Amino acid sequence: MMIGKISSISLYITVLLVSPAALHGQETIVDSSDVVSVDSLALSARVSERADSLMRVADSLRKEYDFANALAVCREALELPVDSLERIGIEDSRLLCENGANMLDFVYRPSVVARKKVSLNDFFLYYPLEDKSWHPVPDVLDGSSGHPFSRAVYAGKGDREIYFSARDEGGSRNLMCTVFNDSLWTAPSLLNEHLTSSGDEIYPMLSPDGKSLYFSSSGLYGMGGYDIYVSSWDEESGDWGVPVNLGFPYSSPYDDFLFVNTDDGRYTVFASNRDCTADSVNVYVLEYDNMPISGAVEDMAELRRIMSLEPAAKDSVAPAEDDGIPENVDTRRYMAKMEEVRSLKDSLYIYGQSLDKERVRFAMSDDVEERAVLTAEILRREEAIPVMQDSLDRATALLQQIEMEFLFSGVVIDPEKVYAASEAAYDEDVEYSFVRMNIGDTLDMAFEEPADEFDYSFMILPEGRFAKDNTIPAGVVYQIQIFSVARPASVAQLRGLSPVFVSDSSSGKYTYSVGVFRTYNDVLSNLNKVRRAGFKSAYIVAYIDGKSVSVATARAMEKKK
């Protein structure tokens, strides 16, 4: 008798059907359905383990910027018979890899001035911002704590507008704003739907001209971790526009955050945990470029070199043979400390020049409001000088201590010769010294009572909202109908949509629609957003003075008006 080919799964089941008792001649009944169930679970576990293994490989390749191979691994994982939850995770990883691959066409090559690895606990204090401008997050702004990166709020003296990150009821962090109005702060409010995602948004920072808002997000279009984005102020709409990912090298598959362009227009500073331990981050200082030009990068080695953001190497000049300076560890330490002192002196000098310019502007201004602003700015800058002077004094004291050690050991060092020996390696234009600022006190803030008003503008939020009043406003109104059900819907079923209106139909069903749109173009531009939120069958409905009409009728009326 010919025996056909038997699959490994069938063979495994057949063997299990023969129990140990049967092998010894004992009569035993085995439920084949139980065996199949056990074998299916084992097979499912092996498939899940294989998928996990592939995703670890894909994640590792993505963090090495090898997006093409990471994508191939994700596609291989998607061919496995995984469950729906695992498939969602694989799809998310595939999307990150695709985003990274797409952004390879727009890579910027900055000039790196300096880099410093510091503790995650206080990295923001090493930014060249005014002293005591960072504050512990007060409970009135954000009662939650324990976020790995968002650890302080920025508020300079005299600032009448504070942007910050706070956690909502669903656990996500959103960008918020509060404005000082006479003696009270306005109730904190979300910025807008463009700057809100299912992930976290942290460290919002305004540009010096107030026209750009930089922040980091783990939920917007990116390549993994926190990416850095910029949103521009739209004068016409009076709101922040759709954020744009800054791309390589500011964003990476790691966590990148706290992007700042300095007031003096010299530097761009941001932080990242690439190439860092869990408790540290790198603070990068780049030369500011107001017209950055990006280009495609195909070579992975070149991309990794760019992403490492190594500071530009200085050309060193060997000391002359007859300069009398011994070459050893102690003299190198002395030369390094002397260079630090010189750098701090130059930083203090440049800062003083900037302050003098502000004083000149004050003296030449006749405008009362401008003089008030300049007064506040001058006071802020003057308060930073003692901090910089203290750093210089401490570095100078250490330099003098090293000189005394040389003196006691019988070594004579001429400071002028040491200075001359290292002068060629010193570039005043790019020299930079990190100064650790002091953290300010916890903000004491009193808020206005929030107005009991409902925002009827269309939004997709972390948690959906029902309209406070289901009355359709007068005039031409469009809505997007999302579903009809026999029982009242829950907030969870809204999938973040707001405002959602409900109406009872004659058939006893509850019909739900979202938004109050005054033009057809407006409702049409938001239709796909609703469909992508999970309502694939959503469609447009129309009303005139609260009465249901066809969309064509509403459009005709709209054109007449």
Side-chain angles (χ1 to χ4, degrees), residues 270 279 398 407 516 551:
F270 77 100
D279 59 350
L398 288 173
L407 183 62
V516 177
V551 173

Side-chain angles (χ1 to χ4, degrees), residues 212-256:
S212 299
L213 180 68
Y214 297 93
F215 66 97
S216 292
S217 174
S218 61
L220 295 174
Y221 174 90
M223 65 191 91
Y226 284 89
D227 281 15
I228 300 177
Y229 303 80
V230 60
S231 174
S232 300
W233 181 256
D234 187 337
E235 293 291 349
E236 185 175 341
S237 65
D239 203 352
W240 293 105
V242 176
V244 176
N245 192 316
L246 293 188
F248 300 113
Y250 306 109
S251 297
S252 74
Y254 297 88
D255 297 303
D256 312 286

Side-chain angles (χ1 to χ4, degrees), residues 167-182:
R167 194 171 69 174
D168 60 25
E169 294 179 358
S172 296
R173 301 192 74 85
N174 306 138
L175 299 185
M176 310 285 287
C177 179
T178 179
V179 180
F180 190 71
N181 187 12
D182 294 330

Side-chain angles (χ1 to χ4, degrees), residues 8-29:
S8 60
I9 296 177
S10 300
L11 181 60
Y12 181 56
I13 295 173
T14 303
V15 171
L16 285 179
L17 287 173
V18 182
S19 69
L23 292 174
H24 290 83
Q26 301 176 21
E27 185 177 349
T28 303
I29 299 176

Side-chain angles (χ1 to χ4, degrees), residues 294-329:
S294 301
V297 173
E298 297 181 358
D299 182 65
M300 289 300 99
E302 172 68 6
L303 179 64
R304 294 186 188 104
R305 186 194 66 76
I306 295 172
M307 297 302 293
S308 68
L309 293 175
E310 291 282 351
K314 298 176 185 178
D315 296 328
S316 60
V317 178
E321 294 182 0
D322 60 349
D323 60 10
I325 302 174
E327 176 63 22
N328 54 46
V329 175

Side-chain angles (χ1 to χ4, degrees), residues 101-122:
N102 292 334
M103 283 191 273
L104 288 177
D105 291 332
F106 308 96
V107 180
Y108 173 59
R109 297 167 172 80
S111 177
V112 184
V113 176
R115 179 182 65 187
K116 184 177 182 66
K117 185 171 292 187
V118 296
S119 170
L120 179 61
N121 293 327
D122 60 0

